[in-house]
Amino acid sequence: MQIVFMNRLSRISGADHEVFAQLWIGEDEGIWHLGWRDFAGTEERGDSLWYEGGSWNELLCVYRHELAVKMGDGYRPLIDGMFPEEDSLSGSRSQEQLKLQYYSEHFGNEAVYDELCAWRRGKASSERKAPYILASNRLLRMLSTFLPRTPEELLQIPGVGEGKASQYGGDWLNITSAAHREISYPLNWVHAAVDEDSFVSWQYKQKEIKYKKQLERMRLRRMLLQGIEEGLGIEQLKALSGVSRREVLEGVEELEKDGYSVEKLIAHELGNVSLSEQDNIWTAYELMGDAFLKPVLYKAYGEAFSPAEGLDMYYERLRLIRIRYRREQAVQLGLATNL
């Protein structure tokens, strides 16, 4: 096997005792290998094989995830640049914003956070919006930690702009102002209050979560492509992948967007749906557009439609036919552009 990449890492363990490891990538007749080798003093403890297979992209996903786990545990490389696609840990967000998030996750007021979550549930229900559109968990954490009392303080919280402040600021301040507060504004003191080593390890833990999702997504895509080619249906793909029917459908929609053919699955799932029902749904898309499913549902089936078995099955049909509809729209747009 030819080694194409290797880096040495170390971390402090116990009473200032430094331990070492190597991360390596090798290739042997078109098969990629990725592994981790621990050292005890000058002796090797053997390799842990992280990946073996023919996909370089999958190897990279495993590499990023497993490396983030190790660096979250305190390992640091002898040679920097082990995440080649990023120049820094922070990405598009500043170190100051990340430290505010880190501080809020470790020193938050749980009672205030729970109260803000309850407010979000009620508001989302009354406005018929998804809760995350109103406020993310990250934002609610920071509000519950830094407890702003004035509109000026509220605008110092990352994620709060003039729009959010005018919409929901009054509600937030009513909750946060009622809690006892020991911290002060402006929040520039947070930078010095955060332990740098703990903060860096936390950043790698965030990467671990991110890369794990990417790895799971890649493996799901591969499984869906193989299953669709074999003629499997949504329920079979659900059992094979271990995800929900909704996640299978979302994966199928992504595959279609990326140019893969999913027509075999659509034909399988709509095999027992009458052509007249499919035509009604298609016409509803032509009349209502394809951005939102609910108006299309009631246009196709009627305003009073409320089947005893629930609506999930019908929304699935709408999503499958929407894939065909959007595909046809793209073809028509391409033809019109070429004229």
Side-chain angles (χ1 to χ4, degrees), residues 106-134:
H106 290 78
F107 303 100
N109 185 318
E110 289 299 321
V112 175
Y113 177 72
D114 290 343
E115 192 173 352
L116 287 166
C117 288
W119 165 86
R120 182 176 60 180
R121 285 193 299 271
K123 200 71 171 177
S125 177
S126 65
E127 294 188 359
R128 297 185 177 181
K129 295 179 179 178
Y132 70 87
I133 293 178
L134 275 64

Side-chain angles (χ1 to χ4, degrees), residues 228 252-253 255-267 270 282 285 290 319-335:
I228 292 170
V252 169
E253 288 171 335
L255 289 174
E256 175 73 21
K257 286 180 183 177
D258 291 342
Y260 294 96
S261 174
V262 297
E263 182 57 34
K264 199 170 184 177
L265 174 70
I266 297 175
L270 298 179
W282 191 281
Y285 276 124
D290 63 10
R319 293 179 73 167
L320 292 168
I321 292 175
R322 183 171 64 178
I323 293 174
R324 284 179 171 172
Y325 178 79
R326 287 177 170 173
R327 188 193 307 148
E328 179 66 21
Q329 293 299 107
V331 170
Q332 294 298 327
L333 179 62
L335 291 174

Side-chain angles (χ1 to χ4, degrees), residues 240-253:
L240 185 65
S241 64
V243 302
S244 67
R245 289 180 67 95
R246 182 184 182 88
E247 289 172 301
V248 169
L249 265 173
E250 288 171 351
V252 169
E253 288 171 335

Side-chain angles (χ1 to χ4, degrees), residues 23-75:
L23 175 64
W24 56 267
I25 297 174
E27 186 269 338
D28 184 18
E29 297 184 353
I31 301 298
W32 293 104
H33 304 262
L34 169 66
W36 177 269
R37 180 177 300 139
D38 284 308
F39 291 88
T42 59
E43 296 182 4
E44 297 182 16
R45 289 200 226 167
D47 289 344
S48 298
L49 189 62
W50 288 353
Y51 177 81
E52 184 177 59
S55 171
W56 174 253
N57 287 333
E58 186 172 2
L59 178 144
L60 285 180
C61 280
V62 176
Y63 165 88
R64 294 183 186 115
H65 172 249
E66 296 292 349
L67 178 59
V69 172
K70 291 295 186 182
M71 295 186 77
D73 289 339
Y75 280 96

Side-chain angles (χ1 to χ4, degrees), residues 121-168:
R121 285 193 299 271
K123 200 71 171 177
S125 177
S126 65
E127 294 188 359
R128 297 185 177 181
K129 295 179 179 178
Y132 70 87
I133 293 178
L134 275 64
S136 65
N137 290 341
R138 179 192 303 156
L139 175 55
L140 297 188
R141 280 283 175 201
M142 285 196 273
L143 290 172
S144 69
T145 301
F146 300 115
L147 301 170
R149 292 179 175 172
T150 67
E152 292 74 23
E153 290 180 350
L154 182 63
L155 289 171
Q156 293 185 45
I157 305 295
V160 178
E162 295 287 351
K164 289 283 187 185
S166 63
Q167 276 184 295
Y168 308 121

